[in-house]
Amino acid sequence: MMREIETHMTDATLTDALRPVAHFLPPRNWMNDPNGLIFWRERHHLFYQYNPKGASHGNIAWGHATSADLLHWEHLPIALSPDEPYDKRGCYSGCAVSDDDGLTLLYTGVEPLENGDEKYQTQCLARSGDGVTFAKYPGNPIIAEPPVGYKRRDFRDPYVWRDDLNDGNGENWWMVLGAKTGGDSPHGSDRGAVLLYRGDDLTQWRYVGELVLAPRDGGLVIHECPNFFRMGNRWVLLTSPIPGGKSLAWVGDLRGHRFTTTHQTRLDGGDCLYAPLTYRVGERVLMFAWLREARPHEEAIAAGWSGVMSLPRELYLRGDGSLGQRPAAEVLALRKELLRDVEQAGDAAVEIVLDSPAGGELVVTYTDGTRHEVALCGESTASGNENLRQIRVFCDRSVIEVFTDDGHAAAWRVYPRDPRISRIDAVNGATLREIHRLGL
């Protein structure tokens, strides 16, 4: 049975001054990875990892919200709950596709193994005709185990698309999955990989091979949440590797069924972005990602919520062939008022627009005296390039997101006792241009 998401807030949630107002998050409880992003029947659908029972990780279901404009969201009933033997330990990350005018979710189900300790990860499917109520496929799991040589407890996060892949076999469904080699693998154990599958339909899948495999001594033991998609005549791979906790982006070419890289970079220059997920809206590639909490766990529990989504970002290829990011065009509609000074904003969110050379900084000072220094261009900019670039900084209570006009982005979580901004200083050559109050 599908359970509706609770839309009321506790007193603690209502009074938590750190709760963002311009970023997506559910009314209460725990949220992590974005799942199942899709533009379907003229609405954006955002699914996400959700604990309906509290503000800590556990009881993982799929929350669900829709929007016509990427800013105003309607919270819908929980789409997937862990109520079958194959997903008893949780309905974990995955994607959504449109098939025969319906909406299909593909996700990782986690069930306990016989000894009750480890977790057996399989790939599962659920379908909906109305985009609200989902029925799990009677034949689940659709992929019951990984290929020989890969661990069944580290085999997850399906990302599915339809393509001919220029391999002479016509158009098929394709899937990538994050995986880890096991002790019986000829590659040795504990090496992260992204695996490629082909499907004639969404329920029958055949393993094709390794799209990428981490170096033997690279220390990377799994690529979580892989995304693989075309941009022009190139291919882009996003993953969130463990260990590391920093999402990565590769641009390259697909030769046969093997991905070769020409550009590699961290996706975000901050300290909290993880598990990004992409989808197409017309010609655009849009992305949301989870911005993890950094405050003590006990404080999040007391507040009644944990986790927030990034602003929607649009991806593109920069002039040098690497991946660039900018706020989705819809974000401009958040601007409600041009302010004379930041103190006019009160406890609302603000967007700060400034010009800055490489090495420029912004210092945000809150009412309680707490300061946060923002490196506006970061280490990813060209060394010694003193050309001014425009920077957009979004300060939304406990979230700061920065975007440079040459395609770099960074996000941080901050926790001042009083998150009202009392002062903004642009330093090291940066020049303040505008401050906008943001609202929904």
Side-chain angles (χ1 to χ4, degrees), residues 126-176:
R127 287 192 167 116
S128 173
D130 61 7
V132 177
T133 302
F134 292 84
K136 294 177 182 177
Y137 177 55
N140 277 341
I142 55 172
I143 304 179
E145 57 187 5
V148 173
Y150 283 90
K151 294 185 177 181
R152 59 183 184 175
R153 65 173 299 175
D154 290 296
F155 176 57
R156 54 184 177 269
D157 309 333
Y159 182 92
V160 174
W161 76 102
R162 198 171 180 88
D163 204 302
D164 62 11
L165 244 56
N166 300 322
D167 66 355
N169 292 309
E171 191 171 78
N172 293 278
W173 289 104
W174 297 90
M175 175 192 294
V176 288

Side-chain angles (χ1 to χ4, degrees), residues 89-127:
R89 290 282 181 90
C91 299
Y92 280 79
S93 292
C95 63
V97 296
S98 179
D99 182 33
D100 297 329
D101 198 39
L103 197 56
T104 298
L105 308 182
L106 297 103
Y107 69 100
T108 296
V110 179
E111 63 176 286
L113 295 179
E114 291 78 8
N115 63 12
D117 295 328
E118 297 191 24
K119 298 176 181 179
Y120 187 8
Q121 299 178 358
T122 64
Q123 314 316 315
C124 307
L125 180 150
R127 287 192 167 116

Side-chain angles (χ1 to χ4, degrees), residues 33-47:
D33 305 4
N35 295 153
L37 293 174
I38 191 169
F39 188 67
W40 186 71
R41 294 184 180 175
E42 301 306 312
R43 292 189 69 84
H44 302 269
H45 287 253
L46 168 57
F47 301 86

Side-chain angles (χ1 to χ4, degrees), residues 18 20 42 111-112 114 147 155 168 192 197 203 216 227 237 249 265 269 277 283 314-315 349 360 362 380 389 408 420:
L18 293 170
E42 301 306 312
E111 63 176 286
E114 291 78 8
F155 176 57
Y197 283 75
T203 63
R216 184 176 299 276
N227 293 225
L237 175 67
T265 186
L277 187 65
E283 296 300 313
E314 181 179 352
L315 306 184
L362 186 74
S380 57
R389 59 202 69 193
H408 300 289
R420 291 176 296 167

Side-chain angles (χ1 to χ4, degrees), residues 327-389:
E330 289 85 346
V331 170
L332 278 173
L334 286 170
R335 293 179 176 178
K336 298 305 178 187
E337 181 185 4
L338 182 63
L339 304 179
R340 294 190 308 274
D341 58 70
V342 73
E343 291 184 351
Q344 288 183 282
D347 63 353
V350 296
E351 178 189 353
I352 305 158
V353 183
L354 35 75
D355 293 324
S356 175
E361 293 185 9
L362 186 74
V363 180
V364 180
T365 303
Y366 299 93
T367 303
D368 66 354
T370 303
R371 290 159 46 94
H372 188 80
E373 298 180 7
V374 180
L376 295 172
C377 298
E379 61 185 8
S380 57
T381 56
S383 176
N385 182 357
E386 294 300 318
N387 292 329
L388 288 177
R389 59 202 69 193

Side-chain angles (χ1 to χ4, degrees), residues 30-35 47-51 57 60-61 92-93 274-275 289-292 306-309:
W30 169 277
M31 178 187 72
N32 58 298
D33 305 4
N35 295 153
F47 301 86
Y48 52 91
Q49 299 282 271
Y50 179 64
N51 180 1
H57 185 270
I60 292 299
Y92 280 79
S93 292
Y274 197 74
W290 173 36
L291 304 183
R292 298 172 295 194
S306 179
V308 60
M309 289 299 170

